[in-house]
Amino acid sequence: MRLLHTSDWHLGRAFHRVNMLGAQSEFIGHLVATVRERAVDAVVVSGDVYDRAVPPLAAVELFDDALHRLADVGVPTVMISGNHDSARRLGVGAGLIGRAGIHLRTDPTAAATPVVLRDAHGDVAFYGLPYLEPALVREEFGVQKASHEAVLAAAMDRVRADLAARARGTRSVVLAHAFVTGGEPSDSERDITVGGVASVPAGVFDGVDYTALGHLHGSQTLTERVRYSGSPLPYSFSEAEHRKTMWLVDLGPEGEIAAERIDCPVPRPLARIRGPLDDLLADPALARHEDAWVEATLTDAVRPAEPMARLVDRFPHTLSLVFAPERAPDDPDVSYARRLADRSDQEIAEDFVAHVRGAGPDAREQGVLRDAFDAVRADDTAREVAR
């Protein structure tokens, strides 16, 4: 059975101030063309279909168009909700839509109820695990600790139990939306840290033939059987070196895996340039970036006059301007934002405690802070779902 694995469409999201709906529509067309041209048997979409719980109307219309186009090619599609989606909103009409061969899996309680497709070699069971917010699904899965690993492990126990009850030789595909250990994040994914830990080990998915992951925006192979497709479009300059692709996966009669990357259309290349403004404007080696979306980091000791206007003269598609004067880390003029860069909320809070009283929090106090951050994040998620 030939699968096309994609995820993280983020319909409705902009890239800085650039509207991406046109590029997202072009990607949908490319996906449908690939299904036809490469004789795909099933499409899997591993979450974050939308960019937010209540997407703009134009994004909903594009999703509706995508559903119609996928249904028209007559190839089954399995989709799950991600942490950016409202599972309840995305799942509205799932029963009716399923009659057209588009199977939406947004309910955690149905994680072990697969979509079963058949080829010449027998059944293939597709299990859709929507994004599982630990604080919201802990009771459903009967776990004591509200962690990503605990709830995903419990969901996968249900999957393996269902699979064991099926006919011998039934092959299996799991769709999941999670941060799996070994994955490389970018700046454009929403933080899903719980209890100070965001990731789950790839071994959680042992026992299935292929795991189609979503959440991280870079295409990645964690094991032969566990892969991220990545997002089809860039959503931050941290993705400048990404090759945006989908996975074309051939699932053999005994569960063998052969995978090929299918490139996605590139609306415009990304470039990150850094240095003093005058050097950036004069360097002939940067000519290759003049048609790219550009993030420019200026290292001038003193902020130059009209930097954006001058940059745009040479790089018309400059979208981001960052000032980072080259100073020693202990220089009192180093900005507060730079001092906080790459630090988690937990670390910032612990540093604040140490600054106020002269000693950092002990283990019990670290736990209190961690629980507070988890509670706030879970409350935010619950509010989004309820909207």
Side-chain angles (χ1 to χ4, degrees):
M1 184 171 286
R2 174 164 284 182
L3 318 175
L4 188 62
H5 167 200
T6 177
S7 72
D8 295 274
W9 295 357
H10 288 278
L11 300 182
R13 185 166 184 166
F15 180 71
H16 290 262
R17 61 179 179 272
V18 177
N19 187 312
M20 296 292 276
L21 278 170
Q24 290 168 340
S25 179
E26 184 179 358
F27 161 70
I28 297 298
H30 170 69
L31 182 151
V32 173
T34 301
V35 168
R36 288 196 176 102
E37 294 165 7
R38 300 301 298 270
V40 170
D41 298 306
V43 176
V44 294
V45 186
S46 299
D48 281 355
V49 174
Y50 290 122
D51 187 57
R52 57 181 186 265
V54 185
L57 178 59
V60 177
E61 291 173 340
L62 179 54
F63 180 59
D64 180 64
D65 178 62
L67 294 181
H68 279 86
R69 295 172 74 176
L70 287 167
D72 286 346
V73 297
V75 172
T77 299
V78 184
M79 295 183 174
I80 62 172
S81 50
N83 61 303
H84 279 251
D85 300 308
S86 165
R88 291 173 63 187
R89 288 176 180 272
L90 186 64
V92 169
L96 288 174
I97 295 170
R99 297 181 184 180
I102 311 294
H103 305 279
L104 295 171
R105 291 294 184 263
T106 63
D107 182 358
T109 66
T113 303
V115 176
V116 180
L117 305 179
R118 189 171 182 82
D119 66 7
H121 305 287
D123 289 347
V124 181
F126 290 78
Y127 296 91
L129 277 57
Y131 172 68
L132 302 176
E133 174 59 44
L136 301 182
V137 301
R138 179 177 64 182
E139 292 185 5
E140 163 62 29
F141 289 102
V143 299
Q144 292 186 342
K145 183 179 180 182
S147 72
H148 289 289
E149 181 175 355
V151 296
L152 269 171
M156 283 302 302
D157 284 345
R158 294 185 184 184
V159 166
R160 283 184 283 265
D162 180 86
L163 187 59
R166 295 186 175 273
R168 183 181 178 87
T170 299
R171 289 157 292 161
S172 54
V173 176
V174 165
L175 290 72
H177 196 87
F179 185 0
V180 178
T181 304
E184 182 66 32
S186 66
D187 292 342
S188 54
E189 299 113 7
R190 180 184 295 169
D191 180 34
I192 58 172
T193 301
V194 171
V197 179
S199 63
V200 299
V204 163
F205 301 104
D206 285 351
V208 298
D209 294 307
Y210 183 70
T211 300
L213 293 174
H215 181 57
L216 299 185
H217 289 181
S219 178
Q220 300 171 60
T221 300
L222 303 186
T223 74
E224 180 191 27
R225 300 184 181 278
V226 181
R227 300 171 189 259
Y228 282 101
S229 66
S231 62
L233 294 166
Y235 294 112
S236 72
F237 277 102
S238 66
E239 301 168 57
E241 301 302 320
H242 285 190
R243 175 187 165 198
K244 295 301 184 181
T245 61
M246 302 177 285
W247 282 112
L248 189 69
V249 178
D250 285 320
L251 181 61
E254 303 298 327
E256 312 96 311
I257 294 292
E260 173 190 351
R261 291 176 73 180
I262 304 295
D263 288 297
C264 296
V266 178
R268 192 178 295 279
L270 306 186
R272 303 178 102 173
I273 59 177
R274 182 185 182 94
L277 178 58
D278 288 342
D279 291 355
L280 299 181
L281 298 178
D283 188 350
L286 299 181
R288 67 187 188 278
H289 299 316
E290 289 174 359
D291 195 45
W293 281 323
V294 169
E295 177 186 73
T297 299
L298 302 185
T299 60
D300 303 75
V302 177
R303 184 173 301 205
E306 299 184 329
M308 180 60 90
R310 293 165 65 189
L311 279 165
V312 168
D313 279 343
R314 184 179 186 190
F315 306 102
H317 306 288
T318 301
L319 299 181
S320 175
L321 182 57
V322 179
F323 294 97
E326 292 185 341
R327 299 187 176 112
D330 56 354
D331 189 316
D333 290 332
V334 171
S335 72
Y336 181 67
R338 286 186 64 191
R339 292 199 300 272
L340 296 186
D342 300 322
R343 299 184 67 75
S344 69
D345 290 341
Q346 177 87 15
E347 290 170 329
I348 293 169
E350 290 177 6
D351 286 350
F352 176 75
V353 172
H355 173 74
V356 168
R357 73 179 186 194
D362 58 26
R364 183 190 67 79
E365 292 167 331
Q366 288 175 336
V368 170
L369 288 170
R370 188 160 48 246
D371 290 346
F373 283 122
D374 288 349
V376 170
R377 189 181 46 74
D379 183 63
D380 287 344
T381 301
R383 289 173 184 272
E384 270 203 356
V385 169
R387 290 176 68 188

